Amino acid sequence: MDVMGDKANLFGTGRFAQSSGREETGDEAQEAADEAAEEVRQRLAAEAGDVEAMSVLGAMLLRRGDLDGAESHLRAATAAGDRAAANNLGVLLHQRGYADEAAGWWRIAAVAGSAPAAHALGRHYRERGDEPAAEYWLRQSAEQGHVLGAYALADLLEHRGDAGAEKWMRAAAERGHREAAYRLARTLDRRSARESCGGEGAGAGAAEEAEQWYRQAAARGHRRAALHLGAILEKRGELKEAGRWYLTSAKDGEPRAACALGFLLRDAGDSESAAVWWLRAAQDGDGNAANALGALHAERGETQTAERWYRAAMDAGDDNGAYNLGLLYAEQGRTAQAEQWYRRAAYAGHREAANALAILLLTSGDETGAEPWFSKAAEAGSVDAAFNLGILHAGRGEDRAALRWYEQAAAAGHTEAALQVGMALLRGGDEPEAERFLRCAAGGGSAEAAYRLATLLDARRPPEPAHELGESAHEKTECEEWYERAASQGHRRAQVRVGMLAAARGDVVEAARWYREAAEAGSRNGAFNLGLLLAREGSEPEAVVWWRRAADAGHGRAALRLALVCARRGDLAEGQRWADRAVTLGPGEVAERAARLRDALREELSA
């Protein structure tokens, strides 16, 4: 409740002498002396019958906690018609527990035009559940410009869901009420989040205004406003300023800010300082900070300490603690304990724990037990669980169900799921839609998707036009770019294809580089093509090495090439052996040629 009003609020910023248990400074001693002198002056004036002095003296004594001394002066001033005294008499009686009598004096002062009394009376009625009366008096106070009245009215209207709440919250914020500034910012923040669903740029105005009010509230010492301001700045990449606001909030006792500051420091490479702030937040009951400490100790191999912090996170109500304990035990191969903690977190609604539990059950051969947990996790929004369900159904040959889960995961940005959808659509002949999904997967970093997208575009590519002078006019196409992206990610078939394209335009060095990279990674086509290239360049001995590698890996054409080399060198028995191998490996055309060569070599050997 307000302890001053009208005339008495001239002393709203004054200090009154109190025993602090420490030595006073010179300035404080002077202030105390000035206040004592003022009290003496007001007391003399009050004893001489000055009503205003009675009111001011009563307010001074009330603020100092001298209720007995204040009451007589306030009653005398009130009897003489001073509305500030009536308001302060109400405050005094309220402090003594006489709420109804206090309300009577507040009513007298409020009817006489006292905004603080109207505010106090409105608060009184709200505490008693009489919202219509509360709204009436709070509105009276707010309309007279009383900042606390405006805030209390806004709080009442917001509680009822009344759209007029924002107007009064804004009025209080504009007059310097820091909690009003914070709550106005929260309202604008929520509005921005709703509007941002409408498309790019939507909600930007509300977000900008929210930031301004967070900044004002934070500058006035509101620790939660400082936390939110730090989060906005961190998201925008302004890490230095974000850290300053997190630090301000954390020093004021906000554990979430201490936790956020810890993550900021960890990302900057200062794990030791991060641990200090996480410890501070965790000791104040922040489960996220306790989990972070657990993860830090787990990375250092300090499993017992990690376990202790994960349990502290659970005690703070953070289900991630149970999930992390499951991960910790799973890494140690203690599957029974891992399952126990995964189950605890999963039953509490932790979707990733449900997915991890399902994987654990599936790995142990319990597909029946795994599927419901995959479903629960996927329905709760776990992208990985939706993808895993797709794999589960695909393994049973349930292609339609698999595709449905792959599509759900792909819609949430799962790269491999988008690849699976694209491949399914390709099999169904829907190339335009398949291309869309393959582009998503390829853009997300899937080498296989990049390769398949390239082959799709390659099949549509028209023949290259001839240059006017008869030379090949080559410009790199989109499909080549996708082949190269897949090749640079280690996709062996893409590497072979890039090599073939380079060879086609006469770039032997580039072709050899890609063939060799594919061959060394185990591609038999890469090894065969590298052999062809080396043979054309006159390096048949090295070509034979690569053909042998390809043939040993099951490449029929490479085996036929080796048979021909051996026949030309006069090594008929070895030639016959490779010809036999080529007949076995195929394909049909190669098998026919190899069979003829084998028969000819057999006749030569038997002659």
Side-chain angles (χ1 to χ4, degrees), residues 108-120:
I108 290 170
V111 169
S114 171
H119 166 247

Side-chain angles (χ1 to χ4, degrees), residues 74-145:
L74 291 175
R75 284 191 182 276
T78 299
D82 189 290
R83 65 182 186 182
N87 174 47
N88 287 334
L89 181 57
V91 172
L92 184 149
L93 292 166
H94 186 273
Q95 288 183 14
R96 282 185 161 163
Y98 304 129
D100 291 333
E101 189 180 351
W105 290 111
W106 282 330
R107 182 183 291 276
I108 290 170
V111 169
S114 171
H119 166 247
L121 189 58
R123 290 281 301 276
H124 168 80
Y125 281 119
R126 187 170 184 194
E127 287 169 4
R128 278 161 175 60
D130 188 351
E131 291 196 359
E135 181 181 350
Y136 174 81
W137 289 110
L138 291 175
R139 195 176 291 276
Q140 293 294 315
S141 175
E143 288 175 349
Q144 291 180 66

Side-chain angles (χ1 to χ4, degrees), residues 34-60:
D34 291 345
E35 288 164 1
E38 178 62 23
E39 182 179 335
V40 170
R41 190 177 70 79
Q42 294 294 345
R43 192 178 293 277
L44 291 172
E47 289 172 355
D50 188 320
V51 174
E52 182 177 348
M54 294 177 195
S55 178
V56 172
L57 179 60
M60 291 175 74

Side-chain angles (χ1 to χ4, degrees), residues 415-416 419 441-451 486 489:
T415 298
E416 290 304 310
L419 169 62
S446 169
E448 182 66 23
Y451 172 72
Q489 292 175 260

Side-chain angles (χ1 to χ4, degrees), residues 185-186 189 207-208 210-212 214-215 225-238 242 246:
R186 297 294 295 143
D189 226 350
E208 289 176 8
E211 182 181 341
Q212 292 171 6
Y214 279 136
R215 194 175 290 277
L227 167 67
H228 285 283
L229 179 58
I232 290 169
L233 293 165
E234 181 182 3
K235 187 176 180 180
R236 204 158 62 212
E238 298 175 22
Y246 283 148

Side-chain angles (χ1 to χ4, degrees), residues 56-74:
V56 172
L57 179 60
M60 291 175 74
L61 295 170
L62 176 60
R63 293 187 65 174
R64 197 165 65 206
D66 183 359
L67 302 188
D68 292 332
E71 185 171 354
S72 60
H73 294 293
L74 291 175

Side-chain angles (χ1 to χ4, degrees), residues 404-472:
R404 178 167 60 86
W405 288 111
Y406 283 145
E407 286 175 338
Q408 180 171 319
H414 196 288
T415 298
E416 290 304 310
L419 169 62
Q420 294 300 323
V421 174
M423 290 169 62
L425 292 168
L426 274 179
R427 288 192 296 270
D430 189 350
E431 287 192 4
E433 193 66 5
E435 181 182 341
R436 183 170 72 84
F437 279 95
L438 290 175
R439 284 187 183 277
C440 289
S446 169
E448 182 66 23
Y451 172 72
R452 290 182 179 272
L453 175 60
T455 57
L456 185 64
L457 297 171
D458 205 0
R460 300 176 189 163
R461 187 171 58 163
E464 286 191 7
H467 191 270
E468 290 180 359
L469 300 177
E471 299 175 356
S472 174

